[in-house]
Amino acid sequence: MGTAAESTADQPDTRRVVVLVAGGPDGRRPRIHPSDQPLLLADDLAAVRGDGCFETLLVVGGRPAKPERHLARLGRSSAALGLAGPSEKEWLAAIDLAAREWGAESEGMLRLVLSRGPERGGEETAYITVAAVGPQACRARAQGIGVTVLSRGYASDIGASAPWMLLGSKTLSYAANMAALRHAAANGFEDVVYVSSDGEVLEGPRSTVVIARDGELLSPPQEIGILEGTTLGAMAEVAGREGVTVRRERLLVADLLAADAVWLVSSVTLVARVHRIDDVALPTADPGIDVAGMVDRAVGRA
């Protein structure tokens, strides 16, 4: 029979920190909001239309990882949506408040959300939540993942020809991504690699694709209509200092199958090595590039 401490340790961490940044009766002032009380009005366009954008970053040792990169991308997303949002200074103050409230004892998943606000009119809604990093992310880091390749249903040039599709923006309209992940799980896979209708490797629903080939790291370029990875950017800076080349190159699934190693890189899971793509097992040998270590150094975990 396990001890009471062991029993407690087995329980999921359901803590939440909520910080309201803008919206509500107190205007634009970061303040802690009770995590067990409602925050959004029923007609907030985040809920009824998915009309907004978001970012998710890691809290390590009570400190937010690379917030400036996430705020820069949030700024690009909000501009594409025609949203103003809080200033970078306001967001940073709210991020610091949320991270302090979360504390340094465990890693946290900090999400910034910006909504167009109530359908009836009024100020945009901006808030932050912090929750524990889930066990699925921890398993992916430690054990690696199997992925299935799914078509996104559009060509790799659609970002330039149809900017209203908001490709490259991190919008709240994530239902299709979540459906893809459920489809993968139902078929025995942990994650997804999207490809375009013309066969180019794009990204994961919540991650950037990185491969090792001939001593270099390669990742698809943003111009094919994918989200610019903040973790990839931070890792590339570390890689450059350590003499590892990181290049952006158009890739096919055949390039992934022939690579020395394949990873999905993201802000919370960080690095998950891909050990299987559909029914093909990938090499398990050390590729000679410590991608996980570089990402840890980039986000302050080292």
Side-chain angles (χ1 to χ4, degrees):
M1 181 179 295
T3 65
E6 288 172 338
S7 177
T8 301
D10 289 340
Q11 299 302 311
D13 188 343
T14 58
R15 292 178 298 146
R16 289 289 187 279
V17 170
V18 180
V19 173
L20 184 59
V21 186
D26 295 327
R28 297 166 80 99
R29 179 178 62 82
R31 62 271 195 195
I32 298 294
H33 182 86
S35 62
D36 59 349
Q37 293 184 16
L39 176 70
L40 296 179
L41 293 172
D43 66 342
D44 193 285
L45 289 164
V48 299
R49 299 282 190 186
D51 192 359
C53 51
F54 76 105
E55 284 288 325
T56 306
L57 57 104
L58 195 66
V59 177
V60 182
R63 296 171 60 87
K66 50 184 176 59
E68 292 81 6
R69 286 183 178 273
H70 285 278
L71 288 175
R73 192 169 66 181
L74 185 69
R76 295 191 295 270
S77 297
S78 59
L81 286 161
L83 298 175
S87 67
E88 181 173 312
K89 183 178 179 181
E90 289 170 320
W91 275 122
L92 283 171
I95 290 169
D96 288 342
L97 174 60
R100 287 197 308 272
E101 187 74 11
W102 178 257
E105 292 185 0
S106 62
E107 291 183 353
M109 179 180 68
L110 187 152
R111 183 177 289 121
L112 317 175
V113 180
L114 174 62
S115 163
R116 199 171 298 278
E119 191 171 32
R120 72 194 73 177
E123 188 179 13
E124 295 169 354
T125 309
Y127 62 95
I128 291 173
T129 64
V130 192
V133 174
Q136 183 177 2
C138 296
R139 282 195 304 271
R141 293 177 189 172
Q143 301 173 13
I145 55 175
V147 305
T148 186
V149 175
L150 298 179
S151 173
R152 217 174 213 171
Y154 52 71
S156 57
D157 64 353
I158 194 171
S161 61
W164 55 87
M165 294 287 289
L166 298 173
L167 301 179
S169 298
K170 199 171 177 70
T171 70
L172 292 170
S173 305
Y174 248 53
N177 283 335
M178 297 300 99
L181 290 167
R182 289 192 298 272
H183 175 84
N187 287 278
F189 299 96
E190 288 79 30
D191 218 315
V192 169
V193 169
Y194 284 131
V195 294
S196 64
S197 60
D198 49 342
E200 293 204 27
V201 171
L202 299 172
E203 58 191 341
R206 299 172 298 191
S207 58
T208 304
V209 178
V210 178
I211 73 169
R213 187 172 71 196
D214 299 330
E216 295 182 332
L217 297 176
L218 290 80
S219 187
Q222 185 184 12
E223 56 262 28
I224 63 173
I226 62 175
L227 196 66
E228 184 66 10
T230 61
T231 305
L232 174 66
M235 182 197 73
E237 290 187 356
V238 174
R241 293 194 295 269
E242 298 181 2
V244 177
T245 299
V246 179
R247 291 195 296 111
R248 312 302 291 275
E249 182 175 301
R250 290 174 179 253
L251 300 173
L252 304 175
V253 173
D255 294 310
L256 274 57
L257 298 178
D260 299 321
V262 179
W263 299 269
L264 294 189
V265 175
S266 59
S267 291
V268 174
T269 299
L270 298 178
V271 177
R273 185 163 178 179
V274 179
H275 56 70
R276 179 169 62 111
I277 297 178
D278 288 319
D279 59 352
V280 179
L282 298 188
T284 58
D286 183 353
I289 304 175
D290 183 13
V291 169
M294 288 191 295
V295 168
D296 279 348
R297 291 188 283 281
V299 303
R301 293 180 82 240

